[in-house]
Structures are given as C-alpha cells and as structure tokens.
C-alpha cells in the first residue's frame, strides 16, 4: 500500500475554513443564499460576499452545511487518458459474468458505485469512487471521480480498456485476477511496451510512425512533443554533481513541432527520445473531421504504461474544417481507440524485430 504524503485531515472544518471557502469563486451566490435560508435569514443581492462569509462563519455549522459547500468546491470532471491490453482467453461474457458480479459487490460494499452494462460485443463497468487529497482545503479534500473498465470481445479473447489512473488500473488487475482464478487458466496479457527495446531512436520512431502512418487517417500537424533523458546511474563513490543539474524532460508545443530544428537537435543526442506526442489527423473516409489525439508512456524510463486520449474533434462543416473544437462522441472515441491500439501493437512487433537485428 502506497504511503500518503499528506494528512491526516482536520476532523472538523474551522470558522476560517468556512470563511475562506465561501470567498472562492466556485461557491456561487445561490449556494450562499441557500446556506442562509436554512437559518431563516434573507440575504440581499447587494450584500458583499466577504461580509456574508464573515457572518456565516461565526454561526454554528454542521455536516450538511459542509457538504453543500464541498459539493461546490469539487473538482471539475475531466476526461482521462485510456490504456488497454489484449487478453488471450477462451472465456466469453457468460464465463466471466460471475467474477464481474462478485467484484461489483466487493466494490459496492466498500462504498463505491458500480454500473455494469453490455452493448453487443462490449461490456463496461462504470465505477464511481472517492479520493482524498490532503493538500486541499478541508472542505474540498474528498473528490468524487469515475472511470470505466471495458471488455471488448475479439477473436482471441478480449481487449480490456480502462481509464488510466492508479485506482482504475488496480481495479482492472484485481478483476482480471478473479477471472483468471475462476477459469483456472492463466490469462495471456499483451500490453504495448517498449521495455525490451533499448534503442532510443527506435523508441522515438514508435511515436513518429504512430502519428504519420495511422491507417485510415492523414497526418496534419504535430502540436506537442515531449522528449526524455534518463538520469544516468552513478556509483555511490562517484561525484554526483552532474546529476544534480540533470534535465530529464523537455516539452515542445506549437505548430509543426515534429519538423523543428530544436527537436531534431535533441533527438540527434542519443540520450534523448520521445515519450509523448500530441497531433492532429484527418480521417480519409466518412465526414472528414480532424481529430486531436495525445499518446504517451506513463513510465518514461522503461516506456511502459502506454495510454492515449482523443482530446477533441474539429468537425468538417459547410465545406470547411471548423476552428472550434468540440468534445468527441462515444463512437468516435471507440473508433480512434481501436485504430491507435491496433497500430501501436503492430509497431511494437515491427520495432522489436528491428531491435533484434541491431543487436545481432
């Protein structure tokens, strides 16, 4: 179990906590008026926020008052990156149903909310859970999040996608462990990883090929490229002065980033390689929309933990590409996910063969 870096929280929010919270812009006027109405106090529109906050903080306030304020201070929901793996198994949805229901009950008993849905060849678990951030104000430490674990049937088993964060990845691994135990057969898990490809040029080539040659799409522009240089391993007896001034990440953002001389100079240095890219690509068929995609390895040193996200869509409207980006639809996310997964796994196989040839 990971050690918490902050905490524990104060057991009860003080009058200063309440005063500070009511002065934040996230707490709107209707919320303040609701708090006063609960005490049969009418608030005028011309009353200053600071004056109201000072008065209310001096009153007695309970759990329900704190909950009203905390709900306003909650984090804005945002889409997270997706990671996936292929699971080779002869099991079908009916075979894994018992394991899923068993794990669903365990999560619900621990206070989480779980919804299981099936749509054709796809089965999804939507999990709502709470996290605690002790670095935040006492009234906004509890943050409600949600994520998804999705099983998509394939010829050889399943593609398992999940929201890329510690909680959902842990839940996925626990669920796969239960499925493996229930089937009494070892599941073969295939992830996108460059851990065994040590060539920095081949690691960078992975992202170049993913952007430029995604099947069914035409590359338009690279908007961001992140390069990485691992901290050199130093013997304890050696002087570590150079390590103290080490620059391990450089981020380049803008237009035409992949063609910039700065990036080329960095990659010419064999110690740097690409670990994250953002790019725009246009679909060749269909509506001709432009998709804004991001892909990365969460562990840059070993190049494991591949994840990606469709940030948005620039729709083709009235004979031209709109300058306004909209949120992607479910069908678009599914389509892009399938294409990025297929291409990334193909690239791992190809680059692995190139690496073996280089090492011969």
């Amino acid at each position: 179990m990971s050690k918490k870096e902050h905490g524990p929280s104060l057991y009860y929010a003080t009058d200063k906590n309440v005063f500070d919270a009511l002065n934040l812009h996230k707490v709107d006027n209707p919320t303040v008026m609701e708090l006063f109405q609960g005490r049969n106090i009418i608030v005028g529109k011309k009353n200053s926020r600071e004056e109201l906050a000072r008065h209310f903080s001096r009153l007695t306030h309970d759990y329900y008052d704190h909950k009203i304020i905390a709900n306003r201070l909650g984090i804005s929901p945002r889409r997270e990156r997706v990671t996936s793996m292929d699971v080779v198994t002869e099991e079908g949805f009916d075979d894994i149903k018992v394991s899923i229901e068993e794990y669903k009950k365990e999560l619900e008993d621990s206070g989480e909310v779980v919804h299981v849905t099936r749509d054709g060849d796809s089965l999804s678990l939507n999990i709502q859970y709470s996290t605690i951030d002790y670095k935040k104000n006492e009234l906004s430490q509890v943050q409600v999040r949600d994520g998804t674990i999705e099983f998509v049937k394939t010829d050889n088993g399943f593609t398992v996608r999940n929201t890329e964060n510690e909680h959902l990845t842990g839940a996925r691994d626990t669920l796969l462990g239960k499925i493996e135990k229930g089937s009494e057969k070892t599941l073969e898990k295939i992830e996108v990883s460059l851990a065994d490809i040590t060539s920095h040029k081949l690691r960078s080539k992975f992202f170049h090929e993913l952007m430029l040659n995604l099947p069914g799409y035409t590359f338009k522009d690279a908007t961001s490229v992140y390069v990485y240089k691992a901290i050199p391993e130093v013997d304890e007896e050696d002087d570590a002065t150079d390590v103290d001034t080490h620059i391990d990440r450089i981020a380049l953002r803008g237009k035409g980033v992949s063609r910039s001389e700065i990036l080329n100079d960095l990659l010419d240095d064999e110690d740097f390689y690409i670990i994250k890219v953002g790019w725009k690509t246009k679909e060749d068929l269909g509506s001709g929309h432009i998709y804004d995609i991001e892909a990365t390895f969460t562990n840059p040193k070993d190049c494991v933990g591949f994840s990606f996200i469709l940030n948005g869509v620039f729709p083709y409207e009235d004979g031209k590409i709109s300058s306004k980006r909209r949120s992607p639809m479910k069908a678009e996310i599914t389509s892009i996910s399938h294409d990025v997964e297929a291409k990334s796994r193909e690239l791992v196989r190809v680059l692995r063969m190139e690496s073996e040839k280089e090492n011969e």
Side-chain angles (χ1 to χ4, degrees):
M1 187 174 181
S2 60
K3 181 180 179 181
K4 298 184 182 300
E5 297 181 355
H6 302 275
S9 169
L10 293 179
Y11 179 73
Y12 188 82
T14 67
D15 57 341
K16 184 180 186 303
N17 297 142
V18 174
F19 175 79
D20 291 340
L22 292 181
N23 276 299
L24 296 175
H25 71 278
K26 285 187 177 181
V27 181
D28 55 15
N29 288 332
T31 300
V32 176
M33 294 176 69
E34 178 185 353
L35 291 169
F36 276 97
Q37 287 173 357
R39 287 160 172 75
N40 295 321
I41 300 175
I42 299 176
V43 175
K45 293 183 178 180
K46 293 185 179 180
N47 290 103
S48 71
R49 174 63 69 85
E50 185 175 349
E51 178 185 353
L52 293 174
R54 182 178 293 109
H55 182 79
F56 186 84
S57 65
R58 291 170 176 169
L59 303 176
T60 55
H61 35 87
D62 60 13
Y63 164 81
Y64 297 100
D65 295 322
H66 296 164
K67 187 174 182 181
I68 291 173
I69 300 172
N71 286 340
R72 296 302 308 171
L73 294 176
I75 60 172
S76 301
R78 62 179 179 85
R79 292 176 52 246
E80 297 180 86
R81 290 194 299 269
V82 174
T83 187
S84 69
M85 66 167 61
D86 284 338
V87 176
V88 180
T89 178
E90 297 178 356
E91 304 289 302
F93 285 131
D94 292 337
D95 300 313
I96 67 175
K97 183 177 180 181
V98 174
S99 299
I100 290 176
E101 289 298 326
E102 177 186 338
Y103 189 50
K104 176 177 181 291
K105 186 176 185 305
E106 289 182 10
L107 293 176
E108 290 175 336
D109 288 344
S110 66
E112 301 185 10
V113 180
V114 184
H115 295 287
V116 179
T117 58
R118 180 175 176 181
D119 182 11
D121 290 335
S122 174
L123 185 148
S124 299
L125 289 82
N126 184 270
I127 303 173
Q128 187 179 87
Y129 60 99
S130 298
T131 63
I132 299 177
D133 187 348
Y134 291 117
K135 294 179 291 183
K136 294 185 175 295
N137 178 286
E138 281 72 15
L139 290 169
S140 56
Q141 288 180 349
V142 179
Q143 302 173 359
V144 178
R145 297 176 180 267
D146 64 80
T148 302
I149 302 174
E150 181 181 21
F151 289 78
V152 181
K153 195 74 181 73
T154 63
D155 293 337
N156 298 321
F158 299 99
T159 292
V160 183
R161 300 187 188 116
N162 65 276
T163 305
E164 202 286 313
N165 63 45
E166 184 178 357
H167 188 89
L168 266 296
T169 299
R172 177 204 67 187
D173 293 341
T174 301
L175 179 55
L176 289 177
K178 289 183 176 296
I179 292 173
E180 189 171 58
K181 184 178 179 180
S183 66
E184 297 183 349
K185 294 181 180 179
T186 302
L187 300 178
E188 182 183 354
K189 304 166 189 175
I190 304 172
E191 297 184 82
V192 175
S193 166
L194 301 180
D196 57 341
I197 300 175
T198 57
S199 167
H200 291 181
K201 290 189 179 298
L202 291 181
R203 288 183 170 186
S204 295
K205 184 177 180 180
F206 171 86
F207 287 103
H208 279 298
E209 291 295 319
L210 183 62
M211 288 191 297
L212 296 174
N213 297 312
L214 188 63
Y217 303 86
T218 299
F219 173 79
K220 301 301 292 183
D221 187 27
T223 55
S224 64
V225 176
Y226 293 72
V227 295
Y228 177 80
K229 180 179 181 181
I231 298 176
E233 296 183 1
V234 180
D235 293 335
E236 293 182 1
E237 298 179 358
D238 292 342
D239 184 3
T241 302
D242 292 338
V243 177
D244 293 338
T245 59
H246 178 78
I247 297 175
D248 61 353
R249 301 169 194 252
I250 299 176
L252 303 175
R253 295 180 179 178
K255 293 184 177 180
V257 174
S258 60
R259 302 187 302 273
S260 71
E261 292 184 8
I262 298 176
L263 177 62
N264 293 331
D265 290 342
L266 287 169
L267 297 180
D268 285 340
D269 181 344
E270 294 185 357
D271 290 331
F272 280 101
Y273 55 91
I274 298 174
I275 58 165
K276 179 179 178 180
V277 293
W279 78 98
K280 294 178 181 177
T281 189
K282 182 179 180 181
E283 61 178 342
D284 296 333
L285 301 176
S287 303
H289 301 326
I290 287 182
Y291 297 103
D292 182 3
I293 310 172
E294 181 183 289
T296 185
F297 284 106
T298 53
N299 181 334
K301 182 179 179 181
D302 299 322
C303 283
V304 296
F306 180 72
S307 61
F308 54 89
I309 185 172
L310 175 57
N311 286 316
V313 180
F314 294 90
Y316 185 82
E317 299 174 336
D318 301 325
K320 63 179 182 179
I321 298 295
S322 173
S323 60
K324 295 182 179 180
R325 192 179 76 175
R326 64 166 172 79
S327 298
M329 293 182 285
K330 173 63 176 176
E332 293 169 330
I333 295 174
T334 301
S335 178
I336 289 291
S337 296
H338 175 271
D339 295 333
V340 171
E341 289 164 353
K343 183 61 179 179
S344 61
R345 290 185 178 114
E346 175 194 340
L347 285 171
V348 169
R349 290 192 294 270
V350 172
L351 295 176
R352 191 167 286 152
M353 288 188 290
E354 290 188 31
S355 178
E356 291 173 354
K357 289 181 179 180
E358 288 184 357
N359 296 329
E360 288 179 354

